[in-house]
Amino acid sequence: SKDRGMFKPNGLEDLRRWGQFVKKIRKDVACLEVDVKIQVMQRKALRMHEAESPKSVAERVGKANEFWSAFGDRHRSVSDRVNEGKQGRVKYSMAWDMQSGPTWRMVNPSPGTLMHREVARAEKEAKLDGYRGMGFKTRSTPNLQKMNTMMKGAASGMSWGADPTSPSSMKQMHRELLPPLQGRHRYLNECDKQHRAPIPMPFVTGHSTSLVLDGRNLVDKELLAMSSVLEEMEGVGEVSLFDNALLTDRGIGKFLESLRTDHIFESLTRLNLGRCTRGGEYLIKSAQAFVKDCLALKELNLSQIAISTKLQAGLCEAIGKHPTLESVNLAETGLMPTDTTRRCMESLMCSSKIRSLDLSWNCFDGTTFQWLGEKVTDNYSLRSLNVANCSAATEIGPAQDTIPPLSLFLETLSRNRSLTSLDIAMNRCDFRTALILEDSLDTHKKLRELNLSDNPLGALGVRSILRLLCRDHTGLLSFDIEGCYGGKVVSIGPREAPIFSYTNPGGKYRLQLWRPYDRAMLRMLYKMTDRFQLQKEDAFEKISYWKNGKQCPFPHAEKDGEGIFQVESEGDLDLVYSVEKAILKRFLQAGRGKVEETDNAGFLNSYLQEMRFQPGFKKVIPLFASWSELDGDEIGQSVYIDALSKDFNLSLGHLQILAQSSKKMACHTITRLQHCVPGDDATEYLSSLMFDTLEELVRAQRQMKNLLDFNVVNPTGNYRLELSNCSDYAVGERLLLLDRWEAAVDRKLERQDISQLGNGTHLRNPIFQGRSVHAQYHSVAEWKLPEHGEFQVDFVSNQRPPKGADVLSDELWESLMMDMFASKCPPEDRIAALRAISHNFWITSAHMRSLIGYFQTEQQRADVLIIFYMRIVDVHNAKMFRVRFESKDEVRRLQDRLGYASFFPFFQPENASFELDLSKNDQRLCASMFVNLAVKEKFPHNIHDYSYMRPDGTLDPMPLGVPKSWANFDTIPKEGVFSATYNTAPEYRNFSHRKDIASQYGFVNGLEDVVADEVQWWTGLTEPPEDVINLLEFFISRYDNISQPFIDIDGVDGNGVITIREFVEGLDNMKCTKFKQTKGQTRTKEQRIDAVFRYMDQGSEGSISLEEWNVLGQLWSEFRCSIKEFVHFLVLAFGDDLLDAWEALDADGSGEMDIEEWEQAVQSIGYFGPASVVFALLDSSDDGNISFEEFEVLEKYKPSKNKGDDPSSADDQVA
């Protein structure tokens, strides 16, 4: 194709540029892979408990052994204990550890205990191996003595002293050896009294100041025994009884009372009583008193403790007034949608110290949530808030519509500036709540973490969260949407929930402003207006606002001091949001980013780049890390991909990362996200290399067929889209955007509105789910593209060839047709291939005519015509290919698909028939052009067979003819059906006016230089009566051109016109028997000749001029062109020897063919032109059969060797 000149060849610079592009992609992918893996590992690490170091493990084991040794000592004989008592406390000695230095250990532990065996093993290892770490190679006496000296020196250098149990050092060692042995023995004695087994907890074993009893299933007696350890403690940093459901209300209360000492008040920073589910009034009162007195407390957890309503306010007031409390957990404490709860929230929110607040698993209604939101907004210190699973039953609005209660809370977050973490898991949040959250957090720069897990968000809701993440000006870096993939779009009340698309926000909106979702959507539209820098009056059209049952003027929202749009909260609002003026201002006006009016691809690329979300450097890693964590969850991955497939731009590297992160979903991922990457050929090729097998590639291309076949530069055509397919949805979205783009171009160039319904759209016949979109919407521009269902539409561009456009050469066109003919692909694939390359060249009407002949069915011929119709340079010769559509129904379907105004025969309307529905804008415009042209030429004699069917079905006879006032578009009736046929004599043609309407309504360029002599005037073989064709066949068999028989009839010295008498006498002199009455013929010879004469007397003067006679010349051109096209096809298919072609046609070898056998044979070799015309020429004997001798007549119609091979060359036309 490059050698033929259809495509620009690539040079060395292009290869270098693409090489750098591929290198950059590989580098980006490698870096992203590492960053994403690190992010995933960090997330996993946060969910895991911190692992203990080997040293901590050894120390914990040693402390536990010591504890059980003390427990065993208490069961020996009394005499042994007395003897031990004389010896005093257990003595310690210092041992040298090669890695950690000097450590203390117990001397002579009780025989048989674990500690005794551990000490014996350690001593043995120290004697045999310890010296090696000090550089001694042998165990000689000098070396051992030297080692002992070093050990003593090290011991003497320690500040602890030689014996930690001596009275002088006991006080100093009190904090290093926790807890005191007396407290431990007291704990063991209490366990004996309570008949409970002791627990070797870190606090008791002495290596922690935190009393952590989580999940021990303690009972009151064990807890009371544990409190004895605290009596001699100088400080306790933490007390945690989490998940001890057996503890009673009074037991925990007594334990809290035992903590009421000054040294604990000064040191305790964390109190955790969570999941002590038997706690009650006594516990709460004790906790309230403890909170008031413990001024060092920073964390308080009372989760899953039922707090009675009468105690809630007092407890929350104490918490709110605490000077140091930073973290409060009141999850599942029985907070209800009551006034008391609201007072509690007010008390909590008044604190300037609380940084983290957990209110999850309580029950709040919409009013309570709204109250909470207002208080959170006023609090500037709160950093983390948890309201998971707090939504009560959904609210019921004024129209019996459901409202998620949490949505009222989220709507208030737009004013918050302090939160860094928010948990709203398990609150029945759907896509509506997600959009409210997106709107509220749109400018929030501090929120880093968001937990939305286990909410039915669905693809729409997940998309809102991903859009929020990818905003560069938001602070969100981490989000959890686990279990959020099961949501769906629901109907709410009498109106369906409108869906917001960031890529194309245009459309009709019906909003009920008492719903938070609808208010959020309205605010999003105002934000889009600001982004487009439009006046509100330009963006919002057809506004209808009803409030309290009355229609009122709608006050547009204005920003407050914080930059938030203050929208109305009552009433019903209907509006149409238009992006047309935004496109006009942003992309068509002079300045930065201006796009040429004819650059569809440039506009679409610029628009999608500006409107869609491109994950930034900081946001792309958490985006893909969340995707990687879904590996193995095919349902979640499918929803995630669906969410990414709209409103996002991805690079080729991003697509590769997504595919590599989940090999099982790689094919599915690439297929559904292909349209999100740049649409150039190189990117498309590189993405195809990501498929592992050829089978996957073929399967994916079948699913992406509409996307791959879509030609943005030449989008005119018919589309049938399954919107649940992401690729098809992308095509539909692009069509809607191109429609608004071309509408903006029309507005800028002040073009006439030739749309189907007078709404300026270029989309015709839109059908969704078998129902016309126009049944509910005035324009497709008002329709929001759904994400499911079948959508069928015709797109018609107004972009015509520019003046002086270079036309594809005849040689190159012939080569292209030969390749297409030789292809074994089905016709549909050939048409798709032609569509893909159609934007690379311009063609002529003759090219169009030859192309149609390669396709058999009406649908195929219509498709190729529609693809190239706007690429034809010589529109004034369009009659050449229009005559190939012989059926009126076929022409009517073309008019319906291309538009009656676009397909209007501007230059050669002769013999054109119209049946126009005046309720349609373009058909009414066509009727106006029709009458206007008649008035400019020879009105009313050029309008024939006219009729007008009234809307009620009655026929208007129009006794005075077609009203001349119909030349004015505004005076034509807007209902009814008007039918007529146009015909005028050549001498009455107003060629200048025909050029004017072609320029005004067909937007044809460069007509000022076109003159009538350049037009190849044409007439189809199906337009005149049959007898006219019979007469033409008679002339063709005897004359070389159509002027000769005119001269013979008129005479050499004739007056230049032929009367009916001269016409009859001339035919008799020529011995023409074509009109001889035969059996079964109802009309006489005179009647048939008279009909032929009246057809050629188009001026109705009673005579035929040479110009009128040339109507036969136009038929002659069609006749000869049809024959030459057929011969040209035979030469391409079989070579120069017509005998080879005959043998292929005469399959039975009989040597003759009748008309039926001929037509079947011609179609079998792939020619679908007018074969009957050729048969009529070849059947010179008029016996209904042709032989090879008659077939050889085609030799003189072979294409010339020294001229172009265009079978319809101007040399063959008759003046």
Side-chain angles (χ1 to χ4, degrees), residues 325-397:
L325 198 55
E326 295 180 354
S327 177
V328 178
N329 189 336
L330 297 178
E332 202 172 353
T333 53
L335 298 177
M336 302 294 288
T338 61
D339 293 337
T340 301
T341 297
R342 287 190 278 274
R343 289 198 301 271
C344 291
M345 292 180 182
E346 185 174 7
S347 299
L348 294 172
M349 291 299 108
C350 286
S351 172
S352 61
K353 298 296 182 180
I354 295 179
R355 299 290 185 269
S356 175
L357 178 61
D358 189 343
L359 299 176
S360 59
W361 291 81
N362 289 293
C363 184
F364 301 150
D365 60 4
T367 304
T368 306
F369 264 125
Q370 188 172 12
W371 177 276
L372 175 62
E374 294 172 355
K375 297 304 176 183
V376 169
T377 299
D378 296 335
N379 188 300
Y380 296 98
S381 60
L382 188 64
R383 299 290 182 266
S384 175
L385 179 63
N386 187 344
V387 288
N389 196 26
C390 285
S391 290
T394 53
E395 300 285 314
I396 304 298

Side-chain angles (χ1 to χ4, degrees), residues 867-885:
I867 290 172
F868 287 99
Y869 184 73
M870 296 296 176
R871 311 293 296 179
I872 298 173
V873 174
D874 56 336
V875 181
H876 47 277
N877 294 323
K879 190 73 176 286
M880 292 178 62
F881 62 82
R882 292 175 70 103
V883 298
R884 297 298 302 271
F885 299 94

Side-chain angles (χ1 to χ4, degrees), residues 40-103:
V40 172
M41 292 177 62
Q42 289 175 346
R43 292 188 179 189
K44 290 181 179 179
L46 289 175
R47 300 188 185 106
M48 298 171 60
H49 295 290
E50 183 180 359
E52 292 183 277
S53 65
K55 179 181 177 181
S56 300
V57 173
E59 184 179 355
R60 176 171 52 81
V61 173
K63 296 288 185 179
N65 291 336
E66 180 185 345
F67 173 81
W68 288 115
S69 297
F71 177 74
D73 289 345
R74 298 173 57 257
H75 294 279
R76 289 184 297 160
S77 63
V78 177
S79 60
D80 292 338
R81 283 185 286 176
V82 171
N83 292 333
E84 282 189 4
K86 295 178 181 179
Q87 298 174 3
R89 292 189 179 89
V90 179
K91 293 189 176 182
Y92 290 79
S93 67
M94 183 180 66
W96 184 268
D97 186 270
M98 299 304 168
Q99 296 181 356
S100 59
T103 58

Side-chain angles (χ1 to χ4, degrees), residues 556-768:
H556 278 294
E558 299 293 341
K559 287 184 179 180
D560 60 10
E562 298 180 359
I564 300 172
F565 283 101
Q566 299 299 300
V567 301
E568 294 290 315
S569 58
E570 294 180 309
D572 295 344
L573 176 64
D574 290 358
L575 61 90
V576 174
Y577 190 81
S578 173
V579 298
E580 180 181 326
K581 292 183 180 179
I583 292 173
L584 180 63
K585 182 175 182 179
R586 175 64 181 84
F587 299 101
L588 285 173
Q589 292 183 356
R592 183 181 178 184
K594 184 180 183 299
V595 180
E596 294 298 327
E597 290 84 354
T598 57
D599 189 2
N600 285 356
F603 156 72
L604 204 56
N605 291 336
S606 299
Y607 182 89
L608 294 180
Q609 188 70 26
E610 182 168 323
M611 296 303 298
R612 284 183 165 184
F613 290 89
Q614 177 82 30
F617 175 74
K618 293 183 179 180
K619 304 302 183 75
V620 70
I621 296 175
L623 180 71
F624 292 158
S626 299
W627 162 258
S628 298
E629 291 179 335
L630 291 173
D631 191 18
D633 181 6
E634 294 187 12
I635 296 178
Q637 287 179 319
S638 181
V639 174
Y640 201 91
I641 292 173
D642 195 21
L644 270 178
S645 66
K646 285 92 175 176
D647 293 342
F648 291 91
N649 280 331
L650 302 175
S651 68
L652 193 59
H654 294 162
L655 184 61
Q656 188 170 350
I657 286 289
L658 291 170
Q660 291 179 353
S661 299
S662 179
K663 293 292 185 182
K664 190 174 182 180
M665 292 286 291
C667 181
H668 184 72
T669 301
I670 300 170
T671 303
R672 295 178 71 84
L673 297 181
Q674 175 69 52
H675 65 277
C676 295
V677 300
D680 55 90
D681 294 336
T683 303
E684 182 179 321
Y685 168 73
L686 292 174
S687 63
S688 67
L689 298 180
M690 297 181 188
F691 293 98
D692 292 334
T693 64
L694 181 60
E695 180 183 0
E696 287 184 351
L697 174 60
V698 173
R699 186 168 61 249
Q701 288 185 337
R702 288 175 180 171
Q703 296 181 24
M704 298 187 293
K705 183 179 185 304
N706 286 322
L707 178 65
L708 297 177
D709 292 345
F710 181 66
N711 190 328
V712 64
V713 181
N714 181 28
T716 300
N718 177 262
Y719 298 87
R720 187 185 296 270
L721 308 171
E722 179 53 53
L723 298 179
S724 59
N725 183 328
C726 292
S727 298
D728 284 13
Y729 181 90
V731 174
E733 188 174 59
R734 283 163 168 77
L735 287 174
L736 292 179
L737 291 174
L738 286 176
D739 171 56
R740 293 298 87 206
W741 159 253
E742 294 223 10
V745 172
D746 293 341
R747 183 190 293 265
K748 178 183 178 182
L749 300 180
E750 298 181 351
R751 288 174 174 170
Q752 181 73 31
D753 183 5
I754 63 171
S755 60
Q756 190 173 22
L757 298 181
N759 47 30
T761 181
H762 292 252
L763 294 169
R764 301 179 58 84
N765 314 311
I767 298 175
F768 177 69

Side-chain angles (χ1 to χ4, degrees), residues 1157-1169:
E1157 184 181 358
W1158 168 262
E1159 291 181 345
Q1160 292 178 356
V1162 168
Q1163 289 191 7
S1164 67
I1165 64 174
Y1167 182 75
F1168 307 107

Side-chain angles (χ1 to χ4, degrees), residues 38 150 170 399 409 439 452 469 481 484 522 698 762 807 869 871 893 914 1014 1079 1113 1199 1213:
I38 292 175
M150 293 176 64
M170 192 63 201
F409 165 74
D439 168 55
L452 283 151
L469 170 71
I481 51 175
C484 295
L522 183 57
V698 173
H762 292 252
V807 180
Y869 184 73
R871 311 293 296 179
R893 281 188 285 270
F914 297 92
E1014 297 179 11
K1079 187 178 180 180
Q1213 307 309 312

